[in-house]
Amino acid sequence: MSKNFLDQLKGMTVVVSDTGDFNSIREFRPRDATTNPSLIASAAAMPAYAKLTSDALAWARAPINASASANASDRDTAARAVDRLAVEFGLRILEIVPGRVSTEVDARLSYDTQASVNKARMLIGMYEAAGGSRDRILIKLASTWEGIRAAEILEKEGIHCNMTLLFGIHQAVACAEAGATLISPFVGRILDWYKKDTGRASYPPHEDPGVVSVTQIYEYYKHYGIKTEVMGASFRNMGEITELAGCDLLTISPSLLAELENAKGELPRKLDPAKAKAKSIPKIEMNESTFRAMHAADRMANDKLAEGIETFSKALVDLETQLAAR
């Protein structure tokens, strides 16, 4: 009996679960797991996680965390609770997966290097105070120039970073040169932009603009022996995933994991480091002016980075509002 696609994929790519729902993580047995503000907000609204949310609020209300101030507002308390909730979800996930969990820095800090560094240090401190090991935690930062500089500082301190909201080769090259542990190029969001921009209803998987972008990044990294890992993210359909079989990691939603598990047949490897090494790929010399010029020239990357920061920021505001009301 032939293996299903999910089992075959796990033989060539590290499968990561893109959810905050513990039950889904247990079901599909990924090595790693990722979260983001939208996923945490969705999970926090589930009755199954009501106690976790209440515990985070209780922690945030404690005088030691409110700087012993009786004047802390509900919004201030909710903001601390959101950080605590993200860490609590991460700690529970680490009990399930054998590998790493990714926890995101507040997207509203995406253009502030020092504030991003401070928030990352605080999150790692919370993990370590609860017995978590920083080797199993990836701090997610938006792939702005400022976020990339934050990653450069943090990596030198042994805080590993997952660069998210990544849509272009210029971001990928800058992240690699900063020494980021991992990047998460967003396949599906790239497809969304191109469908809207061109008016096309669909693309064949091998022509999918998100697939093409991640393939370009993967081949550049492997050609130049870059250690930063590539983790395709934000998938819209199974075809995007199968076209990237062989990528270092792929982070996949529970619904698409289920599709892969139910699919039978031969799953060929599409991305291969040896083939990338043999290709002729020009080197990109990266600095801040080059980064900003390339970003300004890439309408898709420009639009999707700004939109992603706005979306994640809104999810945080909504979650803070929900917690403040409690």
Side-chain angles (χ1 to χ4, degrees), residues 23 39 102 127-128 144 152 158 188 236 261:
N23 292 329
L39 294 174
S102 292
Y127 269 111
E128 292 184 329
T144 57
E152 188 173 35
R236 297 293 180 258
E261 192 172 54

Coordinates of all heavy atoms in Angstrom, one line a residue, residues 23 39 102 127-128 144 152 158 188 236 261:
N23 N -4.9 20.2 20.0 CA -5.5 18.9 19.5 C -5.0 18.7 18.0 O -4.7 17.5 17.7 CB -7.0 19.0 19.6 CG -7.4 19.0 21.0 OD1 -6.8 18.4 21.9 ND2 -8.6 19.6 21.3
L39 N -3.7 33.4 14.9 CA -3.9 32.1 15.4 C -4.1 32.1 16.9 O -5.0 31.3 17.4 CB -2.7 31.2 15.0 CG -2.5 31.0 13.5 CD1 -1.2 30.2 13.3 CD2 -3.7 30.2 12.9
S102 N 7.4 28.7 17.3 CA 7.7 30.1 17.0 C 6.7 31.0 17.6 O 5.5 30.8 17.6 CB 7.6 30.3 15.4 OG 8.6 29.6 14.8
Y127 N 9.8 32.6 28.8 CA 9.9 31.2 28.5 C 10.9 30.6 29.5 O 10.7 29.5 30.0 CB 10.4 31.0 27.1 CG 9.4 30.8 26.0 CD1 9.1 31.8 25.1 CD2 8.6 29.7 26.0 CE1 8.2 31.7 24.1 CE2 7.6 29.5 25.0 CZ 7.4 30.5 24.1 OH 6.4 30.4 23.1
E128 N 12.1 31.2 29.6 CA 13.1 30.6 30.5 C 12.7 30.5 31.9 O 13.1 29.6 32.6 CB 14.4 31.3 30.2 CG 15.0 31.1 28.8 CD 16.4 31.8 28.6 OE1 16.6 32.8 29.2 OE2 17.1 31.2 27.8
T144 N 11.0 43.5 7.8 CA 11.3 44.9 7.5 C 12.8 45.1 7.7 O 13.5 44.2 8.3 CB 10.6 45.9 8.5 OG1 11.0 45.5 9.8 CG2 9.1 45.8 8.3
E152 N 19.6 40.4 13.7 CA 21.0 40.4 13.7 C 21.6 40.5 15.2 O 22.5 39.8 15.6 CB 21.6 41.5 12.9 CG 23.1 41.4 12.6 CD 23.5 42.5 11.6 OE1 22.9 43.6 11.6 OE2 24.5 42.2 10.9
G158 N 22.2 34.5 21.0 CA 21.7 33.1 21.1 C 20.2 33.0 21.1 O 19.6 32.0 21.5
G188 N 1.0 31.6 -0.2 CA -0.4 31.9 -0.5 C -0.7 33.4 -0.6 O -1.5 33.8 -1.4
R236 N -2.5 28.1 0.2 CA -3.9 28.2 -0.2 C -4.4 26.9 -0.7 O -5.6 26.7 -0.7 CB -4.0 29.3 -1.2 CG -3.7 30.7 -0.8 CD -4.6 31.2 0.3 NE -4.3 32.5 0.7 CZ -3.7 32.8 1.9 NH1 -3.3 31.8 2.7 NH2 -3.4 34.0 2.2
E261 N -2.8 14.0 4.1 CA -2.9 12.7 4.8 C -3.8 11.8 4.0 O -3.6 10.5 3.9 CB -3.3 12.8 6.2 CG -3.2 11.5 7.0 CD -3.5 11.8 8.5 OE1 -4.5 12.3 8.8 OE2 -2.6 11.4 9.3

